[in-house]
Amino acid sequence: MNQMKPTHSGYFLGKSVVALAASLREGSVTSVELTQAALDSIERLNPTLNAFVQVDAPIALAQACKADELLAQGQDLGPLHGIPVAVKDNIDTFDYITTYGSAHFEGFKPERDALCVQRVRLAGAIIVGKTLTHEFAYGPTGDRSLQGAARNPWDARCMTGGSSAGSAAAVASGIVPLALGTDTGGSIRIPSGLCGAVGFKPSYGSVPLDGVFPLSSSLDHVGPIANCIEGARLLFEVLSGRVCAPAAPEPRPLRVGWITSGSFGPVDAQVEQQFYQAAQQLFGNALQEVEDLASQAAGMKDTLLMLQRAEAYDVHAERMQQAAQLFEAEVRERLELSQEVRGWQYIRAQAAQQQYHAHMAQLFERYDFLVSPTVPITAPVVDAREVRVGEQNIDVRAAVLSYTSAWNLTGLPAISLPVGQVKGLPVGLQVIAAAGRDDRLLQVMGDLYSHLPL
Amino acid sequence: MNQMKPTHSGYFLGKSVVALAASLREGSVTSVELTQAALDSIERLNPTLNAFVQVDAPIALAQACKADELLAQGQDLGPLHGIPVAVKDNIDTFDYITTYGSAHFEGFKPERDALCVQRVRLAGAIIVGKTLTHEFAYGPTGDRSLQGAARNPWDARCMTGGSSAGSAAAVASGIVPLALGTDTGGSIRIPSGLCGAVGFKPSYGSVPLDGVFPLSSSLDHVGPIANCIEGARLLFEVLSGRVCAPAAPEPRPLRVGWITSGSFGPVDAQVEQQFYQAAQQLFGNALQEVEDLASQAAGMKDTLLMLQRAEAYDVHAERMQQAAQLFEAEVRERLELSQEVRGWQYIRAQAAQQQYHAHMAQLFERYDFLVSPTVPITAPVVDAREVRVGEQNIDVRAAVLSYTSAWNLTGLPAISLPVGQVKGLPVGLQVIAAAGRDDRLLQVMGDLYSHLPL
């Protein structure tokens, strides 16, 4: 999909799930071979990328054996049957240790699979390991966890972004074609954008959260990271337990709102240029500037922060009181701040969230999609906390979240697509749709993106 | 209903709505006469009781004239047609000034009626005035408001309890047969118990709160205060916009859980004796002791406090920031405390409330009703903040709330019935039913209470 290849690349780079599924059914490859290829890629690349935090070859190969047997018996569980998938380490798996990226859960083995993992297994996919998450998914940089920092496949000195750091690195490098991520402020889309994968945050509530370690219950989402839109769609169908509606003819030309550069914070000029060029190629004349979001941006960010902080502290109060030293320092600092949110502020944030929902419903009467850069900068180096954009030094964590978090607050489906590079690092384009229009977003973008001359 | 009469008594003492409705239809009395009788009683008693804070004879008499005309034309709006009703001053009325008991709203005239007031008017009732509320309904003593303290009809040195202080005093003294109250921790039942009226807090959500000044949205209720159960039932039907289901034969003998004395806090020995004697007379062998609520009491109180504080501060944040001096000192102190509730504590209180709901649903599989004293003491003198119970000095505000607030947290219907006096001051008996069983509670208690030899 991208002309250029990441520096660190594995077996599945450029291999779509659809092509792999065909090969499996033709008999030209087996699930055991695909799983072994993933394991080999892990062995080769993981010392550099630190994308996987738990791998267990016998567990993975046993699943693959079973998948091959079933296929041989004519039992076809669908397009993911036999395909290696990686699972973010804040999602429970009964067979792999699940640490949530935290020393609090070192060596922890959940009793059962998360519901979304159950669905992935029932669809025949092979879980080849658990991927690094920023500690408790509470950070957008992917460089603070029990297992350290994940590293960007395009330049291992750079961060992946987070919190679904390992899943994005694993897919973007081609170690696996698909991975599960979670997204509370951008945690699927940010690392997908910075690493050059397709990352999809579905509508709020469309994928069950049972067995996913909570960060902020009113903002949490589970979704796919994939090496193509079709892969993301197939995994989303499995995760949500329903088949996407077939493509319907569009009643009129698309109306695409281009979110004015700067509305949600400063954007690097080269990133903006790369984004805008791709948006022009994708949408042409359908693109119209949306000016009125800038006035909402600060309020939306504040509202999201209030909700996220209060809900995150609710989850971690006892750990903060009894074993605060086990948290990574930066995460602990965020939780200390989180404790300060007042009850009345939380109540107001809940009310404001409802108003933003209503505002977005109105906005999407005028537009089919909104587009923006996914992240306004390219991947900074690991551990960087300030970065220069134009004439300004800006906070890395605020910057990487700036264009994604509004769609967690409002629960809208949003996808990040790789649209080229700036100085050898990926740039992502984010497309947002109205609530519940996940299917259409995936279909229309699948069609348009396939024609993008990258 | 009570053998003894309050010291300060008006025209409607002992006159039931049913009897009044019959007299109106026989033509032996007119609504104008009834309304004038209420106005005369106000003129005579209100200088002592301070139950009414807004009265406007021309407004009231004009409504009464209209009611008489309609009846004369054969347009009968139902059992409340032509009956004088008082409305607590935290409920909006378009024609009477509505102060919410606060200097912040001195002279304030709402644009429209609260929905519950609209319903009362459509049922033909005559609104004769607004009754004193503890400032913003945020206090259970009824002695702190823009208009000072309401006074107990049995002994004007004593408090009425609150926050529906004036409504309870107006009904218990016989100034009006019916009044509207609100109840967030006991604000209908406490003054009804202390003044000797029937006070009914319906199931959460059964009466709309539109146009009622909020105290705590997850605990607020509107309900009737009346001089008999039948009156409470008729006003509840109007407030809730539906007719109670007709009495059904009981499938088996009643099972009534007597909440162990002391479970929710100390009870005065004479109050307990009076309560227990009435409970025995009402329920006889159906009465069984419920021992397992004591272990829940503290948790329920804490949960309610968290919800109430956070929600109350949300309502008043700007007033506290900009004009804190306008609050009565004790109310301001409560709001200052309320600001401190943390977001995560509020989230936990919401979750705990759900658990208490579930726990009560289970408990009411074993019992049809629970009974307790409404208030564990008789009315203290106005402004008292400590009172001696047995060997202990206890906080008046905590004491008067102690047996009522759990049923706001759990949203269960609860009624307070006068069951005699201790040293010349009323004692109330509280009966609680399962969620949504309002109709049955009113019917069964209406039947049993009519046989109580008071």
Side-chain angles (χ1 to χ4, degrees):
Chain A
M1 215 163 287
N2 294 295
Q3 285 179 304
M4 295 173 70
K5 268 178 57 170
T7 315
H8 308 277
S9 60
Y11 175 84
F12 290 94
L13 196 75
K15 293 192 172 70
S16 80
V17 172
V18 176
L20 292 165
S23 301
L24 277 164
R25 281 157 189 79
E26 282 165 10
S28 61
V29 75
T30 64
S31 179
V32 167
E33 286 164 354
L34 293 181
T35 302
Q36 191 58 57
L39 292 168
D40 291 346
S41 296
I42 293 171
E43 197 171 331
R44 184 162 56 82
L45 301 178
N46 209 50
T48 307
L49 299 181
N50 199 25
F52 283 82
V53 295
Q54 306 290 333
V55 183
D56 189 320
I59 288 180
L61 290 167
Q63 296 173 58
C65 256
K66 182 85 186 299
D68 285 332
E69 280 170 31
L70 285 175
L71 260 193
Q73 292 160 15
Q75 291 196 47
D76 188 334
L77 301 176
L80 299 195
H81 192 138
I83 305 286
V85 172
V87 175
K88 186 179 178 183
D89 201 31
N90 65 343
I91 302 176
D92 284 352
T93 44
F94 84 93
D95 46 3
Y96 290 95
I97 282 169
T98 301
T99 70
Y100 314 130
S102 176
H104 287 280
F105 287 91
E106 191 163 6
F108 176 66
K109 214 158 184 178
E111 280 183 22
R112 59 182 68 83
D113 281 342
L115 184 49
C116 57
V117 169
Q118 285 177 33
R119 290 180 176 180
V120 165
R121 289 196 206 265
L122 282 172
I126 312 306
I127 295 171
V128 296
K130 304 297 290 283
T131 58
L132 186 142
T133 174
H134 202 102
E135 184 176 16
F136 290 120
Y138 204 14
T141 48
D143 52 4
R144 303 292 163 92
S145 82
L146 173 64
Q147 298 91 357
R151 301 206 164 244
N152 197 302
W154 295 78
D155 182 343
R157 292 168 301 182
C158 294
M159 63 176 65
T160 54
S163 65
S164 307
S167 283
V171 170
S173 65
I175 294 177
V176 285
L178 292 175
L180 270 62
T182 64
D183 190 317
T184 302
S187 282
I188 285 173
R189 292 158 289 156
I190 292 164
S192 295
L194 294 180
C195 292
V198 172
F200 177 51
K201 180 198 84 63
S203 288
Y204 181 74
S206 57
V207 178
L209 293 164
D210 317 58
V212 178
F213 198 90
L215 170 52
S216 173
S217 59
S218 61
L219 305 166
D220 288 347
H221 298 70
V222 174
I225 297 176
N227 63 10
C228 62
I229 297 180
E230 181 68 1
R233 189 182 65 76
L234 291 169
L235 182 49
F236 169 60
E237 290 189 335
V238 167
L239 293 173
S240 62
R242 47 177 280 284
V243 173
C244 286
E250 289 294 323
R252 44 173 167 57
L254 276 185
R255 301 158 307 171
V256 179
W258 158 44
I259 297 171
T260 307
S261 178
S263 297
F264 288 88
V267 181
D268 174 86
Q270 287 180 282
V271 169
E272 175 70 18
Q273 193 184 3
Q274 187 73 30
F275 151 77
Y276 189 66
Q277 184 189 323
Q280 287 279 358
Q281 288 172 341
L282 283 166
F283 303 110
N285 288 335
L287 212 56
Q288 310 157 38
E289 193 166 356
V290 186
E291 288 169 357
D292 51 350
L293 277 169
S295 63
Q296 317 256 341
M300 291 174 91
K301 276 179 202 173
D302 285 352
T303 301
L304 178 124
L305 264 185
M306 288 290 171
L307 295 174
Q308 189 180 54
R309 286 177 174 172
E311 292 171 358
Y313 198 85
D314 167 40
V315 173
H316 294 293
E318 283 73 15
R319 275 180 287 277
M320 281 296 284
Q321 286 153 13
Q322 291 155 20
Q325 76 287 354
L326 290 182
F327 287 97
E328 187 278 328
E330 197 176 86
V331 171
R332 184 170 62 242
E333 204 174 276
R334 292 191 78 178
L335 283 167
E336 280 160 2
L337 266 176
S338 298
Q339 189 186 359
E340 294 306 311
V341 173
R342 295 304 197 269
W344 67 276
Q345 294 174 314
Y346 181 74
I347 292 168
R348 290 193 174 193
Q350 286 188 311
Q353 187 181 28
Q354 291 314 308
Q355 285 172 353
Y356 290 120
H357 274 284
H359 181 80
M360 286 304 154
Q362 285 185 326
L363 189 67
F364 276 95
E365 288 175 8
R366 291 192 278 136
Y367 300 102
D368 299 294
F369 302 132
L370 299 180
V371 292
S372 78
T374 306
V375 181
I377 53 177
T378 54
V381 296
V382 164
D383 287 334
R385 289 299 178 263
E386 238 186 32
V387 70
R388 198 155 186 82
V389 174
E391 305 294 302
Q392 285 181 275
N393 284 333
I394 60 171
D395 179 79
V396 165
R397 293 178 290 166
V400 296
L401 284 159
S402 56
Y403 283 79
T404 52
S405 67
W407 322 116
N408 294 78
L409 181 66
T410 51
L412 304 185
I415 193 164
S416 177
L417 305 172
V419 290
Q421 289 83 29
V422 164
K423 293 181 185 155
L425 286 166
V427 169
L429 173 144
Q430 180 180 227
V431 192
I432 305 121
R437 303 305 303 268
D438 305 57
D439 298 8
R440 185 173 175 228
L441 174 62
L442 291 165
Q443 277 151 1
V444 172
M445 291 318 301
D447 186 46
L448 294 177
Y449 190 67
S450 65
H451 300 107
L452 190 66
L454 286 172
Chain B
M1 215 162 283
N2 292 294
Q3 286 178 302
M4 296 174 72
K5 268 177 59 172
T7 314
H8 306 277
S9 61
Y11 174 84
F12 290 94
L13 196 76
K15 293 191 172 71
S16 79
V17 172
V18 176
L20 293 165
S23 301
L24 278 164
R25 281 156 190 79
E26 282 164 11
S28 60
V29 75
T30 64
S31 178
V32 167
E33 286 164 354
L34 293 180
T35 302
Q36 191 59 56
L39 293 169
D40 292 346
S41 297
I42 293 171
E43 198 171 327
R44 185 163 56 83
L45 301 178
N46 209 50
T48 307
L49 299 181
N50 198 25
F52 283 82
V53 295
Q54 305 291 332
V55 183
D56 189 322
I59 289 180
L61 290 168
Q63 295 173 56
C65 255
K66 182 86 185 296
D68 284 331
E69 279 170 31
L70 286 175
L71 260 193
Q73 293 162 15
Q75 289 196 49
D76 188 334
L77 301 176
L80 299 195
H81 191 136
I83 306 285
V85 171
V87 175
K88 186 179 178 183
D89 201 32
N90 65 341
I91 303 176
D92 285 352
T93 44
F94 84 94
D95 45 5
Y96 291 93
I97 282 169
T98 301
T99 69
Y100 315 129
S102 176
H104 288 281
F105 287 92
E106 192 162 6
F108 176 66
K109 214 157 182 180
E111 280 184 22
R112 60 182 66 84
D113 280 339
L115 185 48
C116 56
V117 169
Q118 286 176 33
R119 290 179 176 181
V120 166
R121 289 195 206 266
L122 283 170
I126 311 307
I127 294 172
V128 294
K130 303 298 289 286
T131 58
L132 187 143
T133 174
H134 201 103
E135 185 176 17
F136 291 120
Y138 204 11
T141 48
D143 52 5
R144 303 293 164 92
S145 81
L146 173 62
Q147 299 90 357
R151 304 215 161 232
N152 197 300
W154 294 78
D155 182 343
R157 293 168 302 183
C158 295
M159 64 175 63
T160 54
S163 63
S164 307
S167 284
V171 170
S173 64
I175 295 177
V176 285
L178 292 175
L180 270 64
T182 65
D183 191 316
T184 301
S187 282
I188 285 173
R189 291 159 289 155
I190 292 165
S192 295
L194 295 181
C195 294
V198 171
F200 177 51
K201 180 199 83 65
S203 288
Y204 181 75
S206 56
V207 177
L209 293 164
D210 315 58
V212 177
F213 199 89
L215 170 53
S216 172
S217 60
S218 61
L219 305 166
D220 288 346
H221 299 70
V222 174
I225 297 177
N227 62 10
C228 62
I229 298 180
E230 181 68 1
R233 188 182 65 77
L234 291 169
L235 182 49
F236 170 60
E237 290 189 335
V238 167
L239 293 172
S240 63
R242 47 177 280 284
V243 173
C244 287
E250 290 294 323
R252 47 174 164 55
L254 277 184
R255 301 158 307 171
V256 179
W258 159 43
I259 297 171
T260 307
S261 178
S263 296
F264 287 89
V267 180
D268 174 84
Q270 288 180 279
V271 168
E272 175 69 18
Q273 194 185 358
Q274 187 73 30
F275 152 75
Y276 189 66
Q277 185 190 321
Q280 286 279 0
Q281 288 172 339
L282 284 167
F283 303 111
N285 288 334
L287 212 57
Q288 310 158 36
E289 194 167 356
V290 187
E291 286 168 0
D292 51 352
L293 277 169
S295 62
Q296 316 256 342
M300 291 175 92
K301 276 180 203 173
D302 286 352
T303 302
L304 178 124
L305 264 185
M306 289 290 172
L307 295 174
Q308 189 181 53
R309 286 176 173 171
E311 292 172 358
Y313 199 86
D314 167 40
V315 173
H316 293 293
E318 283 74 14
R319 273 179 288 276
M320 282 295 284
Q321 286 153 12
Q322 292 155 20
Q325 76 286 355
L326 290 182
F327 287 97
E328 188 281 325
E330 197 177 87
V331 172
R332 183 170 63 242
E333 204 174 274
R334 293 191 77 177
L335 284 167
E336 280 161 2
L337 266 175
S338 298
Q339 188 184 1
E340 294 306 311
V341 173
R342 296 302 198 268
W344 67 276
Q345 294 174 314
Y346 181 73
I347 293 167
R348 290 194 173 192
Q350 285 188 313
Q353 186 182 30
Q354 292 311 310
Q355 285 171 353
Y356 289 121
H357 274 285
H359 181 79
M360 286 302 153
Q362 285 185 327
L363 189 66
F364 276 95
E365 289 175 7
R366 291 192 278 135
Y367 300 102
D368 298 295
F369 302 131
L370 299 180
V371 292
S372 77
T374 305
V375 182
I377 52 176
T378 55
V381 295
V382 164
D383 286 335
R385 288 299 178 263
E386 237 185 34
V387 70
R388 197 152 185 86
V389 173
E391 304 293 302
Q392 286 180 276
N393 284 333
I394 60 172
D395 179 78
V396 164
R397 292 177 292 167
V400 297
L401 284 159
S402 56
Y403 283 79
T404 51
S405 67
W407 322 117
N408 294 79
L409 181 66
T410 51
L412 304 185
I415 194 165
S416 177
L417 304 172
V419 290
Q421 290 84 31
V422 164
K423 292 181 187 156
L425 286 166
V427 169
L429 174 145
Q430 180 179 227
V431 191
I432 305 121
R437 302 307 302 270
D438 305 57
D439 298 8
R440 185 174 174 226
L441 174 61
L442 291 165
Q443 278 151 0
V444 173
M445 291 318 301
D447 186 43
L448 294 177
Y449 189 66
S450 65
H451 299 107
L452 191 64
L454 286 172

